[in-house]
Amino acid sequence: MALKHYLNPSLGIGMESALQFYKLILDSTSEHIVVIDEQGDIQFVNKQWSNFGLHNECTVGQSWKGVNYISECDKAAAMGDEFGAQAAMGIRGLINQTLPSFYFEYPCHSPLEKRWFMMHVTQFELDGDRFFIISHQNITERKQVEEAIANLAMADGLTNIANRRMFDQFLNLEWRRCKRLEKPICLAIIDLDFFKELNDEYGHQKGDECLKLVANLLNGLAHRPGDLAARYGGEEFALVLGDTQLENACTFAQSFLDQLAELDIENINAPTGTKLSASIGIAELMPIDYESEQDLIKRADKLLYKAKTNGRNRIELDRG
């Protein structure tokens, strides 16, 4: 039986007025709220829930009534969304009465910003029928503080961009996200040409200053939640570009080379010229089951070697 049939006026007002009163209360909260029955069918959503769906390209559209929430979670899980699988498991636990309540935190990033939510599921019973309230609370501010603290251990001590440990973790998460969304992911590996000669001629302090300048240039290109600039090791850097096609990644890489040239850093003993340059290998893959992010790294690394073999100060790329 639909939930609205149980709502009775309790404030000395008519049924329609009472329903409107309760709805205004739920619409005024900042949380996204949905109520489902024991079959998982949606009985009610508040204004915040509907607005979030409309502004985030949700395929359901404006009408949520009768949509099966658990089925939507299962669909997401089938596409590789581990959070969808976790949500479905938790809700079924409440329905089957193996869990008294359920909550978990999950990322829900948009193309322009990072966001996190906490999902909380509770239940109530009315005249023998059980219903489940699912609320999604935006906890982005708290997670950003936690992330900032955690990033202190994930930052390269010299350049202050992501270190190799952070790179490995980020690439794994971004690979899974792009796989779930069926989007391509690109990786650029950058090596500074004849950096040893620069260190030998001008000293390690000058070399360190160059590394900081290069890191700053790359970090300026990684401006979306799915992007990351990292120090890969020594004079090697990496640029992860999630949900990005090869042509766009090449544009980013060329922009970096142009900006590096504008810095006009002397490297007088380099066989390729008197200014510091870089070689770049860029690979693109569409994440699939029988490949992993390690395959993307291997492709990019192979292309970097090709760039160095073909004369350096160039970009080599190949679509997987």
Side-chain angles (χ1 to χ4, degrees):
M1 184 179 294
L3 181 59
K4 69 178 183 179
H5 294 301
Y6 291 111
L7 295 172
N8 294 308
S10 59
L11 302 173
I13 54 180
M15 171 65 80
E16 292 301 322
S17 296
L19 288 172
Q20 182 65 16
F21 178 79
Y22 299 142
K23 184 177 185 300
L24 287 172
I25 293 175
L26 292 172
D27 284 343
S28 67
T29 181
S30 61
E31 297 184 17
H32 308 158
I33 296 175
V34 59
V35 179
I36 65 173
D37 59 21
E38 287 189 274
Q39 287 69 48
D41 293 331
I42 293 176
Q43 299 296 318
F44 172 83
V45 299
N46 72 343
K47 185 177 180 179
Q48 291 288 353
W49 180 283
S50 296
N51 287 344
F52 186 83
L54 288 174
H55 297 149
N56 288 271
E57 300 181 351
C58 180
T59 57
V60 174
Q62 297 187 30
S63 179
W64 290 87
K65 184 67 172 67
V67 173
N68 191 282
Y69 186 91
I70 301 176
S71 295
E72 293 300 313
C73 291
D74 288 339
K75 290 177 184 178
M79 295 175 63
D81 184 353
E82 61 181 278
F83 303 110
Q86 191 172 350
M89 180 181 66
I91 295 170
R92 286 191 172 101
L94 264 73
I95 293 175
N96 298 331
Q97 299 183 322
T98 59
L99 292 174
S101 64
F102 173 73
Y103 79 94
F104 78 106
E105 299 175 2
Y106 64 96
C108 183
H109 304 325
S110 74
L112 299 178
E113 63 177 336
K114 289 185 175 182
R115 303 176 303 199
W116 288 266
F117 288 85
M118 179 176 71
M119 176 182 181
H120 191 202
V121 188
T122 56
Q123 60 181 310
F124 66 92
E125 185 173 328
L126 195 60
D127 293 341
D129 288 320
R130 297 165 65 224
F131 297 94
F132 304 87
I133 304 174
I134 305 171
S135 64
H136 296 258
Q137 180 182 5
N138 193 319
I139 57 171
T140 299
E141 186 174 351
R142 173 171 68 81
K143 294 297 289 187
Q144 285 176 335
V145 173
E146 294 175 355
E147 189 178 64
I149 295 173
N151 283 345
L152 292 176
M154 295 290 191
D156 177 64
L158 175 65
T159 63
N160 205 35
I161 63 172
N163 60 18
R164 181 62 182 269
R165 179 183 176 191
M166 178 64 175
F167 166 81
D168 289 337
Q169 293 186 13
F170 183 89
L171 181 59
N172 176 263
L173 290 173
E174 192 60 22
W175 175 272
R176 288 189 287 167
R177 187 183 77 89
C178 288
K179 179 181 179 181
R180 183 172 71 250
L181 299 177
E182 298 182 343
K183 300 289 187 179
I185 181 172
C186 286
L187 172 64
I189 299 182
I190 303 104
D191 183 72
L192 299 181
D193 296 328
F194 301 106
F195 191 71
K196 181 180 182 300
E197 282 73 7
L198 185 148
N199 267 330
D200 291 344
E201 178 66 23
Y202 305 101
H204 288 281
Q205 184 174 355
K206 177 66 174 180
D208 288 349
E209 291 175 3
C210 291
L211 292 175
K212 292 176 184 178
L213 290 171
V214 168
N216 187 57
L217 292 181
L218 289 171
N219 207 37
L221 299 174
H223 54 84
R224 303 174 306 164
D227 302 338
L228 181 77
R231 188 178 181 190
Y232 196 65
E235 65 270 20
E236 282 193 345
F237 294 84
L239 185 63
V240 180
L241 298 167
D243 189 4
T244 302
Q245 295 183 336
L246 191 64
E247 293 78 8
N248 292 333
C250 185
T251 299
F252 282 123
Q254 188 59 57
S255 175
F256 164 74
L257 288 182
D258 293 342
Q259 292 178 58
L260 180 61
E262 289 175 4
L263 290 179
D264 201 30
I265 300 172
E266 287 191 359
N267 192 11
I268 195 169
N269 293 325
T272 53
T274 61
K275 305 297 180 181
L276 180 64
S277 62
S279 300
I280 304 176
I282 309 176
E284 174 200 312
L285 279 180
M286 182 72 73
I288 51 180
D289 288 336
Y290 58 83
E291 289 185 315
S292 72
E293 67 271 17
Q294 296 303 317
D295 295 290
L296 183 64
I297 293 174
K298 290 177 183 177
R299 287 177 180 269
D301 197 51
K302 183 177 179 180
L303 290 163
L304 172 62
Y305 179 79
K306 183 178 179 181
K308 294 163 74 171
T309 302
N310 288 342
R312 303 183 186 245
N313 191 25
R314 61 187 294 120
I315 301 168
E316 293 288 347
L317 48 89
D318 186 24
R319 190 186 306 274

